[in-house]
Amino acid sequence: EVQLVESGGGLVQPGRSLRLSCTVSGFTLSDYTLSWVRQAPGKGLEWVGFIRSKANGGTTDYAASVKGRFTISRDDSKRIAYLQMTSLRAEDTAVYYCTRMTFWGHGTLVTVSS
Amino acid sequence: DIQMTQSPSSLSASVGDRVTITCRASQGIYNYLAWYQQKSGKPPKLLIFGASTLQSGVPSRFSGSGSGTDFTLTITSLQPEDVATYYCQKYNSVPFTFGPGTKMDIK
Protein backbone atom coordinates (compact mmCIF):
# COMPACT_ATOMS: atom_id res chain seq x y z
CA GLU A 1 0.00 0.00 0.00
CA VAL A 2 1.34 3.40 -1.01
CA GLN A 3 1.68 5.82 1.88
CA LEU A 4 3.25 9.24 2.34
CA VAL A 5 3.59 10.65 5.84
CA GLU A 6 4.74 14.20 6.50
CA SER A 7 6.39 15.27 9.72
CA GLY A 8 8.42 18.11 11.16
CA GLY A 9 5.86 20.88 11.23
CA GLY A 10 5.35 23.20 14.15
CA LEU A 11 5.61 26.76 15.37
CA VAL A 12 8.69 28.67 14.21
CA GLN A 13 9.72 32.30 14.46
CA PRO A 14 10.03 34.49 11.37
CA GLY A 15 13.48 34.28 9.84
CA ARG A 16 14.19 30.83 11.25
CA SER A 17 14.49 27.50 9.45
CA LEU A 18 12.56 24.25 9.53
CA ARG A 19 12.92 20.92 7.76
CA LEU A 20 9.93 18.83 6.83
CA SER A 21 10.15 15.13 6.06
CA CYS A 22 7.99 12.94 3.86
CA THR A 23 8.43 9.27 4.64
CA VAL A 24 7.13 6.99 1.93
CA SER A 25 6.25 3.32 1.74
CA GLY A 26 4.81 1.02 -0.89
CA PHE A 27 6.90 2.37 -3.75
CA THR A 28 10.46 3.24 -4.67
CA LEU A 29 10.99 6.94 -3.97
CA SER A 30 13.55 7.49 -6.70
CA ASP A 31 11.17 6.15 -9.36
CA TYR A 32 8.75 9.04 -8.98
CA THR A 33 8.63 12.81 -9.10
CA LEU A 34 7.57 14.00 -5.68
CA SER A 35 6.01 17.40 -5.09
CA TRP A 36 5.36 19.59 -2.10
CA VAL A 37 2.09 21.52 -2.08
CA ARG A 38 0.93 23.89 0.64
CA GLN A 39 -2.36 25.33 1.74
CA ALA A 40 -2.58 28.43 3.90
CA PRO A 41 -5.47 28.41 6.41
CA GLY A 42 -8.75 28.83 4.57
CA LYS A 43 -6.99 29.28 1.22
CA GLY A 44 -6.40 27.30 -1.93
CA LEU A 45 -3.61 24.96 -2.97
CA GLU A 46 -0.18 26.29 -3.89
CA TRP A 47 2.46 24.19 -5.64
CA VAL A 48 5.76 24.67 -3.80
CA GLY A 49 8.14 22.57 -5.86
CA PHE A 50 9.25 19.09 -6.75
CA ILE A 51 12.15 16.73 -7.14
CA ARG A 52 12.14 14.75 -10.33
CA SER A 53 12.54 11.01 -10.49
CA LYS A 54 16.03 9.59 -10.82
CA ALA A 55 15.27 8.65 -14.43
CA ASN A 56 14.52 12.31 -15.12
CA GLY A 57 17.69 13.54 -13.52
CA GLY A 58 16.54 14.05 -9.93
CA THR A 59 16.54 17.80 -10.45
CA THR A 60 14.35 20.26 -8.60
CA ASP A 61 12.09 23.18 -9.46
CA TYR A 62 10.37 25.67 -7.21
CA ALA A 63 7.59 28.24 -7.13
CA ALA A 64 8.81 31.82 -7.37
CA SER A 65 7.48 32.50 -3.87
CA VAL A 66 9.94 30.05 -2.29
CA LYS A 67 12.83 29.91 -4.75
CA GLY A 68 16.13 30.59 -3.02
CA ARG A 69 14.64 29.90 0.42
CA PHE A 70 13.32 26.33 0.13
CA THR A 71 15.24 23.23 -0.95
CA ILE A 72 13.83 19.81 -1.78
CA SER A 73 16.01 16.73 -1.48
CA ARG A 74 15.61 13.05 -0.85
CA ASP A 75 17.40 10.14 0.74
CA ASP A 76 16.42 7.11 -1.29
CA SER A 77 17.96 4.65 1.16
CA LYS A 78 15.81 6.05 3.98
CA ARG A 79 12.76 6.50 1.72
CA ILE A 80 12.44 10.11 2.84
CA ALA A 81 12.01 13.32 0.92
CA TYR A 82 12.79 16.61 2.60
CA LEU A 83 11.66 20.20 2.34
CA GLN A 84 14.26 22.47 3.91
CA MET A 85 12.74 25.87 4.58
CA THR A 86 14.85 28.88 5.49
CA SER A 87 14.15 32.59 6.09
CA LEU A 88 10.58 31.71 6.96
CA ARG A 89 7.90 34.37 6.73
CA ALA A 90 4.40 34.68 8.16
CA GLU A 91 3.01 34.00 4.69
CA ASP A 92 4.67 30.56 4.71
CA THR A 93 2.15 29.49 7.36
CA ALA A 94 0.29 26.56 5.84
CA VAL A 95 -0.36 22.86 5.85
CA TYR A 96 2.38 21.28 3.76
CA TYR A 97 1.58 18.16 1.76
CA CYS A 98 3.90 15.82 -0.08
CA THR A 99 2.34 14.18 -3.08
CA ARG A 100 2.96 11.78 -5.92
CA MET A 101 -0.08 13.30 -7.68
CA THR A 102 -2.16 10.15 -7.28
CA PHE A 103 -1.23 9.80 -3.64
CA TRP A 104 -1.05 12.46 -0.95
CA GLY A 105 0.03 12.59 2.64
CA HIS A 106 -2.23 14.11 5.28
CA GLY A 107 -0.04 17.14 5.68
CA THR A 108 1.90 18.84 8.43
CA LEU A 109 1.11 22.31 9.75
CA VAL A 110 3.79 24.97 9.78
CA THR A 111 3.03 28.16 11.68
CA VAL A 112 5.43 31.07 11.34
CA SER A 113 4.85 33.55 14.12
CA SER A 114 6.73 35.39 16.83
CA ASP B 1 3.96 32.21 -15.99
CA ILE B 2 0.68 30.69 -17.09
CA GLN B 3 -2.26 31.72 -14.93
CA MET B 4 -5.16 29.40 -14.11
CA THR B 5 -8.69 30.63 -13.49
CA GLN B 6 -11.82 28.73 -12.49
CA SER B 7 -15.49 29.54 -12.67
CA PRO B 8 -17.66 29.72 -10.80
CA SER B 9 -15.83 30.30 -7.53
CA SER B 10 -18.73 28.67 -5.70
CA LEU B 11 -21.92 26.93 -6.61
CA SER B 12 -24.88 25.36 -4.93
CA ALA B 13 -26.82 22.61 -6.67
CA SER B 14 -29.37 19.96 -5.91
CA VAL B 15 -28.81 16.23 -5.61
CA GLY B 16 -29.11 14.73 -9.08
CA ASP B 17 -28.19 17.94 -10.90
CA ARG B 18 -25.63 18.06 -13.70
CA VAL B 19 -22.83 20.39 -12.64
CA THR B 20 -20.04 21.89 -14.74
CA ILE B 21 -16.92 23.70 -13.56
CA THR B 22 -14.67 25.53 -15.98
CA CYS B 23 -10.91 25.97 -15.81
CA ARG B 24 -9.04 28.28 -18.14
CA ALA B 25 -5.31 28.62 -18.75
CA SER B 26 -3.84 31.94 -19.89
CA GLN B 27 -1.79 30.04 -22.51
CA GLY B 28 -2.15 26.64 -24.10
CA ILE B 29 -1.22 23.67 -21.94
CA TYR B 30 -2.19 20.88 -24.37
CA ASN B 31 -3.99 18.35 -22.16
CA TYR B 32 -1.69 18.58 -19.14
CA LEU B 33 -4.55 19.34 -16.78
CA ALA B 34 -5.62 17.55 -13.61
CA TRP B 35 -8.69 17.93 -11.45
CA TYR B 36 -8.71 17.39 -7.70
CA GLN B 37 -11.45 17.13 -5.12
CA GLN B 38 -10.74 18.30 -1.60
CA LYS B 39 -13.16 17.65 1.22
CA SER B 40 -12.99 19.65 4.42
CA GLY B 41 -9.97 18.77 6.54
CA LYS B 42 -8.68 16.20 4.05
CA PRO B 43 -5.88 16.17 1.48
CA PRO B 44 -6.82 16.59 -2.18
CA LYS B 45 -7.85 13.55 -4.18
CA LEU B 46 -6.96 13.18 -7.85
CA LEU B 47 -10.07 12.79 -9.97
CA ILE B 48 -8.89 13.29 -13.54
CA PHE B 49 -5.54 13.64 -15.30
CA GLY B 50 -4.65 14.29 -18.90
CA ALA B 51 -7.74 16.52 -18.98
CA SER B 52 -10.11 13.60 -19.51
CA THR B 53 -8.71 10.37 -18.02
CA LEU B 54 -10.61 9.23 -14.96
CA GLN B 55 -8.37 8.13 -12.11
CA SER B 56 -8.93 4.55 -11.00
CA GLY B 57 -11.68 4.25 -8.41
CA VAL B 58 -13.31 7.58 -9.17
CA PRO B 59 -17.06 7.32 -9.87
CA SER B 60 -18.04 7.51 -13.52
CA ARG B 61 -20.36 10.46 -12.87
CA PHE B 62 -17.17 12.57 -12.98
CA SER B 63 -15.77 13.46 -16.39
CA GLY B 64 -13.33 15.94 -17.83
CA SER B 65 -12.88 17.49 -21.22
CA GLY B 66 -10.96 20.15 -23.06
CA SER B 67 -7.51 20.90 -24.37
CA GLY B 68 -5.37 23.94 -25.00
CA THR B 69 -6.75 26.65 -22.77
CA ASP B 70 -10.32 25.65 -21.87
CA PHE B 71 -11.29 22.71 -19.72
CA THR B 72 -14.37 21.46 -17.92
CA LEU B 73 -15.16 19.11 -15.07
CA THR B 74 -18.66 17.69 -15.17
CA ILE B 75 -20.58 15.78 -12.54
CA THR B 76 -23.53 14.20 -14.28
CA SER B 77 -25.65 13.49 -11.19
CA LEU B 78 -24.56 15.36 -8.08
CA GLN B 79 -24.42 13.29 -4.90
CA PRO B 80 -24.29 14.51 -1.28
CA GLU B 81 -20.75 13.14 -0.92
CA ASP B 82 -19.58 15.44 -3.73
CA VAL B 83 -19.64 18.45 -1.39
CA ALA B 84 -16.06 19.67 -1.66
CA THR B 85 -13.78 22.22 -3.25
CA TYR B 86 -12.53 21.35 -6.72
CA TYR B 87 -9.19 22.49 -8.11
CA CYS B 88 -7.62 22.26 -11.53
CA GLN B 89 -3.84 22.11 -11.92
CA LYS B 90 -1.61 22.50 -14.97
CA TYR B 91 1.42 20.29 -15.27
CA ASN B 92 2.83 20.88 -18.74
CA SER B 93 5.68 23.00 -17.41
CA VAL B 94 6.75 24.57 -14.14
CA PRO B 95 5.28 26.11 -12.15
CA PHE B 96 2.53 23.52 -11.74
CA THR B 97 -0.06 26.15 -10.87
CA PHE B 98 -3.43 25.35 -9.32
CA GLY B 99 -6.63 27.16 -10.09
CA PRO B 100 -8.22 29.12 -7.23
CA GLY B 101 -10.84 26.45 -6.59
CA THR B 102 -14.60 26.02 -6.88
CA LYS B 103 -16.50 25.40 -3.67
CA MET B 104 -19.51 23.18 -4.20
CA ASP B 105 -22.35 22.51 -1.81
CA ILE B 106 -25.80 21.03 -1.87
CA LYS B 107 -28.97 23.13 -1.90
Side-chain angles (χ1 to χ4, degrees):
Chain A
E1 180 190 6
V2 171
Q3 285 193 320
L4 300 90
V5 179
E6 303 91 342
S7 59
L11 175 63
V12 60
Q13 293 179 327
R16 302 298 292 264
S17 299
L18 196 66
R19 188 178 76 167
L20 306 183
S21 299
C22 174
T23 303
V24 309
S25 58
F27 67 99
T28 300
L29 182 57
S30 60
D31 286 349
Y32 291 87
T33 291
L34 193 132
S35 295
W36 287 91
V37 173
R38 68 184 181 182
Q39 188 168 34
K43 302 296 184 183
L45 302 172
E46 181 185 13
W47 178 79
V48 171
F50 63 41
I51 184 164
R52 292 179 176 84
S53 65
K54 194 173 183 179
N56 285 292
T59 54
T60 54
D61 266 299
Y62 302 94
S65 57
V66 306
K67 198 167 187 177
R69 300 188 299 124
F70 289 12
T71 303
I72 298 171
S73 62
R74 65 171 185 244
D75 184 328
D76 294 333
S77 65
K78 293 184 178 178
R79 308 171 75 102
I80 301 176
Y82 299 101
L83 178 63
Q84 178 70 49
M85 305 184 292
T86 64
S87 302
L88 283 162
R89 307 164 180 167
E91 55 264 36
D92 295 319
T93 294
V95 173
Y96 285 75
Y97 297 100
C98 63
T99 172
R100 214 190 80 183
M101 192 174 189
T102 49
F103 296 95
W104 293 64
H106 280 81
T108 187
L109 176 62
V110 173
T111 303
V112 183
S113 174
S114 54
Chain B
D1 291 348
I2 296 173
Q3 305 303 313
M4 305 299 291
T5 57
Q6 284 182 237
S7 61
S9 57
S10 65
L11 79 99
S12 187
S14 299
V15 172
D17 281 354
R18 179 186 180 94
V19 172
T20 297
I21 298 169
T22 297
C23 175
R24 179 163 289 171
S26 60
Q27 297 175 42
I29 59 170
Y30 305 98
N31 68 337
Y32 291 94
L33 192 283
W35 288 98
Y36 295 89
Q37 175 193 64
Q38 187 180 32
K39 297 183 179 180
S40 181
K42 300 292 187 182
K45 173 187 175 183
L46 178 67
L47 297 177
I48 287 167
F49 61 94
S52 60
T53 302
L54 198 66
Q55 171 65 11
S56 175
V58 173
S60 59
R61 63 181 181 274
F62 291 91
S63 65
S65 65
S67 68
T69 59
D70 295 312
F71 303 87
T72 58
L73 173 69
T74 299
I75 308 174
T76 52
S77 178
L78 189 68
Q79 299 300 305
E81 60 266 31
D82 299 335
V83 170
T85 300
Y86 293 83
Y87 296 93
C88 61
Q89 183 194 25
K90 63 171 279 291
Y91 59 96
N92 63 310
S93 63
V94 294
F96 284 7
T97 309
F98 288 90
T102 296
K103 188 171 184 179
M104 186 180 311
D105 63 24
I106 302 288
K107 276 184 189 173

